[in-house]
Amino acid sequence: MNTNYWSWDRLTEAFPFVLEGIGMTIAVTFATFLFALIFGFVWLFLRRIPNRSLNWFVTWIMEFIRSTPPLVQLFFLYFAWPVIPYVGVTLSAFTCAVVGLGIHFSTYIGEIYRSGIESVEKGQWEAATALNFSIRDKWLKIILPQAIPPTIPMLGNYFIILFKEVPITSTIGVQGILYMANTFGARNWAYIEALTIVGLILLALSYPSALCIRKLEVKMNTRFNNNANKKTNKGVTSQ
């Protein structure tokens, strides 16, 4: 049978088959993003330790992770990790996907956190110290509530990027939409229709999300500009 042509019948047949993987794709995306959000704080606090050697080492590790393709990292976790002597731990495809992509994206998210913290005015740090806040209260009540909101639009952008990267986990057996598309193509010797469906699904989910992130970014920028103007006007009035 010649399958080197477009077939609307195959497209109709492939759509429900590929759609079976949408749940797994979404689950991996949210689990990975949650892991990256949490692990991003690990990089943040490691880099804030006042030790030049440790800072250099942590920075080098982060650069190495960012400079290495996530596909290679997934392959290492899934294929190389079980054969490392004395480890004796075998990770499932889902776990490898979450940990591999999660660590990769956490290096970017850690930098986002750092930029947010550095945007907090120096006077806020000094006020927390003057009021004798504990380290926990200083971070949870003073620093993070001011540092996190400005980073939300950037975090949203990385969430969308992560969603579009998740299909590569099909290479280690995660049964998402790309895995189902490849399976359909292998069974029917026809890939174009199934892969087209994957592209349309990614577009249908990521494009509206990108529009929402843009609106959120405009809203956050407007709010911060208004707050800054209020502080400026208050300072002028007090003078």
Side-chain angles (χ1 to χ4, degrees):
M1 181 177 63
N2 184 14
T3 57
N4 294 323
Y5 61 90
W6 178 269
S7 171
W8 291 103
D9 291 336
R10 275 201 303 270
L11 182 71
T12 304
E13 182 183 356
F15 184 78
F17 189 86
V18 174
L19 203 61
E20 292 179 7
I22 189 65
M24 178 60 72
T25 298
I26 293 175
V28 173
T29 301
F30 279 96
T32 301
F33 192 66
L34 179 61
F35 182 93
L37 289 176
I38 296 173
F39 208 81
F41 283 107
V42 175
W43 298 118
L44 172 65
F45 290 116
L46 284 176
R47 292 197 63 179
R48 293 188 64 85
I49 296 176
N51 185 301
R52 180 175 297 182
S53 299
L54 179 61
N55 285 335
W56 178 88
F57 181 68
V58 172
T59 301
W60 182 86
I61 292 177
M62 293 177 69
E63 289 297 330
F64 176 80
I65 293 175
R66 280 198 291 257
S67 302
T68 308
L71 182 61
V72 175
Q73 297 169 11
L74 290 175
F75 279 176
F76 177 81
L77 282 175
Y78 191 70
F79 295 108
W81 179 266
V83 300
I84 297 177
Y86 309 114
V87 173
V89 177
T90 301
L91 302 178
S92 66
F94 181 87
T95 303
C96 285
V98 172
V99 173
L101 289 179
I103 291 178
H104 184 86
F105 277 86
S106 69
T107 58
Y108 297 99
I109 290 176
E111 288 298 303
I112 294 175
Y113 290 158
R114 186 172 67 88
S115 66
I117 289 174
E118 290 180 351
S119 68
V120 177
E121 297 178 2
K122 184 179 179 181
Q124 299 294 317
W125 296 85
E126 295 173 348
T129 303
L131 293 173
N132 199 26
F133 275 43
S134 65
I135 296 177
R136 179 177 180 274
D137 288 341
K138 179 173 69 175
W139 280 97
L140 294 181
K141 296 181 179 180
I142 303 296
I143 306 303
L144 291 182
Q146 298 181 70
I148 297 300
T151 67
I152 291 177
M154 291 184 287
L155 293 175
N157 289 331
Y158 273 104
F159 177 79
I160 296 173
I161 295 172
L162 171 62
F163 174 66
K164 291 185 287 187
E165 289 284 348
V166 164
I168 68 173
T169 59
S170 65
T171 57
I172 60 172
V174 176
Q175 298 183 6
I177 53 177
L178 185 57
Y179 180 93
M180 301 304 293
N182 287 329
T183 301
F184 179 88
R187 291 180 180 178
N188 297 274
W189 293 90
Y191 289 87
I192 187 171
E193 293 85 1
L195 293 177
T196 299
I197 293 171
V198 172
L200 292 175
I201 291 174
L202 293 175
L203 177 63
L205 294 178
S206 62
Y207 184 70
S209 300
L211 295 179
C212 293
I213 294 299
R214 290 178 185 175
K215 291 183 179 179
L216 178 62
E217 185 174 3
V218 171
K219 184 177 180 179
M220 297 295 291
N221 289 336
T222 302
R223 179 180 298 177
F224 291 134
N225 290 334
N226 291 337
N227 290 338
N229 291 333
K230 288 181 181 178
K231 290 181 180 178
T232 302
N233 295 333
K234 184 178 180 181
V236 172
T237 304
S238 63
Q239 291 178 358

